[in-house]
Structures are given as C-alpha cells and as structure tokens.
Amino acid sequence: MILLIVLGGLAALAAVPLKLALAYDHGNFRAAVRVGPVTVFRYPAKKKPESERPSSKEENGPAGEEEKPSPKAGASEEKSAGKEPAPAQTGEQGEQSQDGLKKWMPFVRLAWELLGDLRRKLVVDRLVFRLVLADPDPCDLAVNYGRVLALKESLLPMLERVLEIRSREIDIRCDFAAEKPELTARADLVLTLGRAAVLTAVYGVRALKEYRNLKNNPKGGA
C-alpha cells in the first residue's frame, strides 16, 4: 500500500508542468519560470522597498578611507614600458585553437542532440504575435505589409512542423495613422517535470562520460 502511494505521488509530481513564459510588449521584455502555480524566477525582478535597500554609507564604506596608490605600481609600469612586445606566434596559436575545437566537439554534438530531444518533448501552450505596421508613405506601407505576410506564410508552417503549438494568435495589421510600428509577442513553453528530469539524467550522465574522456585523454588520443 505504501509503495502504491509513493508511486502515485511520483507520477503526480512528474506530471507537474514546468512553464517558461516569455513576453515582449512596447519595448519591454519579461520572462518567468513557473513550477505548477508557483513562480520560481521572474525577470525583471520585483523592486525591493526602500526600507530594505542598503544605505549609501554601507555601500560606499566608511568615509575618509581612500585607496592609496601602491609604490610598486609605478615601478612595474616603468619596467613594462621599457620591454618590447614579444612577436605573436600565429602558427602555434592556430594549431592550439583547432585542437581546442576538436576537444569540445563531443559536447557540441551532445548539446545538439539535447536540443533535438527537447524540441520533441516541448509544447508551445500559447503563441501570440501581433504586429502593427506604420509608415508615412502609404505605398511603402503596403509593400512592407505584403512582405511580412509572405514571410509569415513561409515561416509559420515550418514552425508548426518543428514544435507542437496548441494555441496561436497571429495578427498583422496596417495603421496609416500610427507614427511607428508596434510589436506584441508572447510564448508559453511547457515541459513536464518528469520529462525534464529524464533529459537531465540522460544527458548529464553522457556529459560526465565525455568530460572523463577529455580529462583522461587531453590531446584527444585513443
């Protein structure tokens, strides 16, 4: 009986949604991470009341204490000024950069596979895109409106093939009286805690194995 209760609790916990809410409105960007109904991260963060903010004296430290220049600083600058810069070794630096890229390629491939699995498990619960075009010249406004509509018709089917979108609202309009364009966008990305835990465990173990291989074979040898 206790085992069934524990399994039921784990199943219920795995089904809890992990939501990333992104929004852009009138030049302001907002983001929030929610686990179920609880918000665990918010950007921009809420401002603290003035009573909780540290005073200017505490931030700047006690008055009267000023940093004094150390006498060694001038001597070191004089010595460095008298030395000529060493010639750059472009060949060796290029080889080192190529070796560094080869070392980190397994992690790049692992990150690419993670993005692919995340794409298949991620759900776009809500997608909102509202664009109001504005231009003082009506002819240019009509041309831009046609271009944006053509871009929408080509990109939206590709996006729907890549991601599962439950609800979407796309609105593109022209406003001949507006002074500047206005953009409002929102995307709510949802992933259950169970799927997030599985992805973290699988790719965390694989990343740890790659790190051990890199540590045992720093030059990439067999």
Side-chain angles (χ1 to χ4, degrees), residues 145-158 172:
Y145 179 71
R147 291 175 177 173
V148 173
L149 284 182
L151 188 62
K152 167 199 166 185
E153 295 298 329
S154 60
L155 292 181
L156 188 57
M158 297 173 57
I172 301 174

Side-chain angles (χ1 to χ4, degrees), residues 10 24 70 91 108 132 141 154 164-165 179 188:
L10 291 176
Y24 179 85
S70 59
V108 174
V132 179
L141 180 57
S154 60
E164 179 184 352
I165 303 176
E179 297 181 355
D188 295 339

Side-chain angles (χ1 to χ4, degrees), residues 82-132:
K83 295 181 180 179
E84 296 181 356
Q89 299 177 357
T90 56
E92 294 182 0
Q93 291 178 356
E95 292 178 358
Q96 292 178 357
S97 62
Q98 291 179 0
D99 293 341
L101 290 176
K102 290 180 181 179
K103 290 179 182 178
W104 295 106
M105 279 304 297
F107 295 95
V108 174
R109 289 193 293 266
L110 190 62
W112 185 256
E113 293 179 11
L114 173 61
L115 290 177
D117 285 348
L118 183 62
R119 174 187 64 81
R120 288 187 288 270
K121 294 177 174 60
L122 196 65
V123 176
V124 182
D125 189 53
R126 184 183 179 191
L127 178 64
V128 178
F129 185 86
R130 298 190 185 99
L131 177 61
V132 179

